[in-house]
Amino acid sequence: MAFTPGLQQQTLLRIVFYYLYIPLAIFLCTWVKLWYSLPLTIILGILPLTLCPNLNAKSVSITSRQIRITVAVLLAWVILSGIGGFVWQNRWDHSFRNAVFNDLVSKSWPVIEGQNVLTYYIGFWLPSAGIAKITGYMWIGRLCQLLYGSVGIILAFLLTIEKVGNMKIRYLLPFILFSGVDIVGLFLSGRSLPPNFHIELWSSFAFWESNTTLLFWVYNQAIPSWVATMIMLNFGRHNGIAALTLCFLSISAPFSVVGLFPLALYYVISPYPDKHRKHYILKSVFCPANIISLLGILPVLLYFMFNNQTTVTISFGNLGSISRIQDFILILVVEILVFGIFIYRQIVKNIEFYILFLTTVFCLFIHMGTSRDFNSRVELPLNFFMTTQIMIYISRWGNKSLVTRLCFLGVSFLAALTPFLEMSRILYQSVKIPQSEYLSIDKESIFEFQTLRHNFVSDSIYSRSELPLGFKLFNYPDSPDKNHQ
């Protein structure tokens, strides 16, 4: 039996906005002084209610069978990612993320140890850590992580269905399996197959990763980024929505905010046509929602600026040799444009594609701190845009010639090797390793790490003078409290 399960634009947009709003609201009310954060949090919480009624309501029809299959498949995918530790977790990124979560649960907010302060994009964990604090049970917090991640994935999928305009079970395939053809990039770059089969690490420019790899390694950024990207693509032209989306996303995935900012700017200066009144650029730019969003993102920006890893440099030195130029061309072709020949008609006049593409390519030459994390995470919006375009492409599968279908399936098979290897590793280790060893825990606290420490911790923040006004905005003590735990 067919039915329309509340997928009206207004309802869906309210839900996804509050999904992103909750972590920011928790951050503002606990990290930032209440004289600034409390009125701002209330106003930001009201904005989705005032913006959403301006949308023209429409819905996508989904059957009850499609709902059951979709939820089951996506939930299995999220469980397999290792969020919460209910299967074996990859032994690198998860160890850092588990340590951050432990600190959020065990320490007071803001999280301080001596003169050192946690400075990281912590948004994804704040709701779950808050519940773990209240209940006193860490396992409940890990379960809430899994539930929060699952809700985000389901919302991101519903938003892609909104963009496609109809629902087919086969849309789950590109949603989960979308990837560049990393196996081709690996061998053309002359690199050997790594022992853990993590084949995306072949480029010197960035880790251009599949949807599955992103979920399995950097879920805290990927899930909110996908939700925000689809808000932008579906509703971004409506006045105030683009800026509010970036504001809500900022505490969870700031690199994706950078990747989406040019697109948001484009939407602000070329708003969605309105039959009842004309939109002027100044009126669009200085609308109340944009101003309030700027006030909301300001403390998040100041918070990240406490960390030395926010130092930014722009360098084209990576193109200084023939091999580097070849590597650059290879990552463009193998990771970004490989499906371009199939979706050419969809993107050739699509301004969103060009904005996201040029933003992402330019950011390959921006270096933040000492790692390649920034270069590798700005890809998230473009990655998901391409996922959506592939879903639109296969929605018209019946119109494709046999040769076109076979070519598309051949490229898709090579691309799917990357997520297949990721899922195979988790399944193999989950069967092989005892359940008691599923969690990836090297150290209990992020303050105990020396490796990549400055990605997460700002040392001796009390001796810094670069941001005296910004520092006073937060709930940090005026002087170091050695007994603060």
Side-chain angles (χ1 to χ4, degrees):
M1 180 180 67
F3 68 104
T4 305
L7 282 183
Q8 289 189 344
Q9 284 184 335
Q10 296 177 9
T11 304
L12 181 59
L13 185 54
R14 286 193 187 101
I15 294 172
V16 295
F17 258 139
Y18 285 117
Y19 177 83
L20 296 178
Y21 164 79
I22 290 172
L24 178 66
I26 294 173
F27 171 78
L28 291 175
C29 291
T30 52
W31 259 257
V32 182
K33 293 187 182 298
L34 288 179
W35 66 265
Y36 185 92
S37 64
L38 189 58
L40 184 61
T41 302
I42 294 172
I43 296 172
L44 286 171
I46 294 173
L47 274 181
L49 300 177
T50 64
L51 295 178
C52 295
N54 297 327
L55 301 177
N56 297 319
K58 76 173 185 179
S59 58
V60 176
S61 181
I62 305 179
T63 67
S64 57
R65 174 178 173 273
Q66 288 173 328
I67 285 289
R68 289 195 299 270
I69 294 174
T70 298
V71 171
V73 171
L74 294 180
L75 182 59
W77 190 40
V78 178
I79 291 173
L80 200 59
S81 72
I83 298 175
F86 298 96
V87 297
W88 182 85
Q89 296 178 326
N90 284 306
R91 290 306 195 252
W92 182 252
D93 281 19
H94 278 278
S95 63
F96 296 99
R97 306 191 197 294
N98 287 336
V100 169
F101 184 71
N102 287 343
D103 285 332
L104 288 171
V105 174
S106 63
K107 299 180 186 297
S108 300
W109 295 353
V111 176
I112 304 171
E113 185 171 278
Q115 295 189 8
N116 307 321
V117 176
L118 175 66
T119 51
Y120 192 62
Y121 15 98
I122 54 178
F124 179 89
W125 298 292
L126 288 178
S128 305
I131 293 174
K133 273 180 173 292
I134 293 171
T135 61
Y137 292 101
M138 182 67 76
W139 71 268
I140 292 180
R142 292 199 294 268
L143 177 61
C144 288
Q145 281 190 62
L146 178 66
L147 294 176
Y148 185 75
S150 299
V151 170
I153 288 293
I154 292 171
L155 290 176
F157 183 78
L158 293 178
L159 286 168
T160 60
I161 296 305
E162 172 76 27
K163 189 68 175 177
V164 175
N166 61 80
M167 172 60 186
K168 297 275 193 295
I169 292 297
R170 63 173 177 258
Y171 296 160
L172 288 167
L173 293 175
F175 189 83
I176 294 173
L177 301 177
F178 177 79
S179 171
V181 285
D182 297 291
I183 194 69
V184 175
L186 182 73
F187 289 114
L188 288 182
S189 64
R191 293 169 175 82
S192 58
L193 190 68
N196 65 352
F197 299 104
H198 191 30
I199 62 176
E200 291 103 321
L201 308 183
W202 60 267
S203 174
S204 61
F205 281 87
F207 315 134
W208 212 277
E209 297 171 320
S210 69
N211 286 354
T212 290
T213 309
L214 289 166
L215 179 65
F216 284 24
W217 292 80
V218 289
Y219 58 89
N220 59 305
Q221 301 170 68
I223 297 174
S225 296
W226 292 340
V227 172
T229 298
M230 294 313 302
I231 294 176
M232 294 278 285
L233 294 175
N234 285 331
F235 312 109
R237 287 185 180 271
H238 293 273
N239 221 17
I241 285 182
L244 192 62
T245 301
L246 297 187
C247 175
F248 286 178
L249 179 64
S250 59
I251 192 60
S252 300
F255 296 163
S256 293
V257 171
V258 175
L260 285 169
F261 178 76
L263 181 60
L265 186 61
Y266 167 74
Y267 284 149
V268 168
I269 63 177
S270 58
Y272 193 79
D274 191 315
K275 295 180 180 180
H276 304 292
R277 64 186 179 91
K278 293 181 179 179
H279 287 274
Y280 297 97
I281 291 179
L282 287 178
K283 193 170 186 178
S284 176
V285 171
F286 295 104
C287 74
N290 290 353
I291 296 173
I292 295 168
S293 298
L294 181 61
L295 294 175
I297 206 171
L298 178 63
V300 179
L301 178 63
L302 293 172
Y303 170 70
F304 290 141
M305 288 178 67
F306 288 135
N307 195 301
N308 292 326
Q309 289 292 85
T310 55
T311 303
V312 175
T313 58
I314 301 176
S315 172
F316 294 91
N318 280 349
L319 297 179
S321 65
I322 296 297
S323 62
R324 288 299 182 93
I325 294 175
Q326 291 174 341
D327 210 9
F328 174 68
I329 294 174
L330 196 57
I331 197 171
L332 293 184
V333 174
V334 168
E335 301 289 11
I336 304 176
L337 301 177
V338 63
F339 285 102
I341 190 173
F342 301 104
I343 61 173
Y344 174 77
R345 292 182 179 179
Q346 297 169 210
I347 63 175
V348 66
K349 296 182 179 180
N350 190 312
I351 188 65
E352 285 90 349
F353 167 74
Y354 292 108
I355 292 174
L356 291 173
F357 174 76
L358 292 174
T359 301
T360 305
V361 171
F362 177 72
C363 286
L364 289 175
F365 303 98
I366 297 178
H367 307 279
M368 183 174 291
T370 57
S371 71
R372 283 184 284 173
D373 284 356
F374 174 78
N375 315 64
S376 306
R377 303 301 166 236
V378 176
E379 69 159 298
L380 281 161
L382 176 61
N383 215 53
F384 212 65
F385 171 86
M386 297 297 286
T387 300
T388 305
Q389 292 302 312
I390 295 299
M391 293 171 69
I392 294 173
Y393 179 83
I394 67 173
S395 73
R396 304 161 184 168
W397 189 249
N399 300 329
K400 313 301 179 185
S401 68
L402 178 60
V403 173
T404 301
R405 292 184 190 183
L406 291 175
C407 291
F408 178 83
L409 291 174
V411 174
S412 299
F413 174 79
L414 292 176
L417 289 176
T418 299
F420 174 77
L421 290 173
E422 284 294 321
M423 289 186 277
S424 298
R425 183 196 311 116
I426 303 301
L427 287 170
Y428 174 78
Q429 295 288 5
S430 297
V431 172
K432 176 183 177 183
I433 303 296
Q435 186 176 3
S436 59
E437 299 178 19
Y438 281 175
L439 284 173
S440 177
I441 299 179
D442 290 339
K443 301 181 186 299
E444 292 292 332
S445 170
I446 198 65
F447 295 97
E448 298 175 12
F449 280 89
Q450 294 304 315
T451 303
L452 299 182
R453 176 183 178 84
H454 292 299
N455 281 4
F456 304 89
V457 174
S458 179
D459 292 319
S460 302
I461 190 171
Y462 296 96
S463 63
R464 295 182 61 186
S465 59
E466 293 91 335
L467 294 169
L469 294 179
F471 185 84
K472 292 178 181 178
L473 187 63
F474 295 92
N475 287 324
Y476 297 134
D478 294 330
S479 59
D481 180 4
K482 295 182 180 179
N483 296 320
H484 187 96
Q485 296 294 331

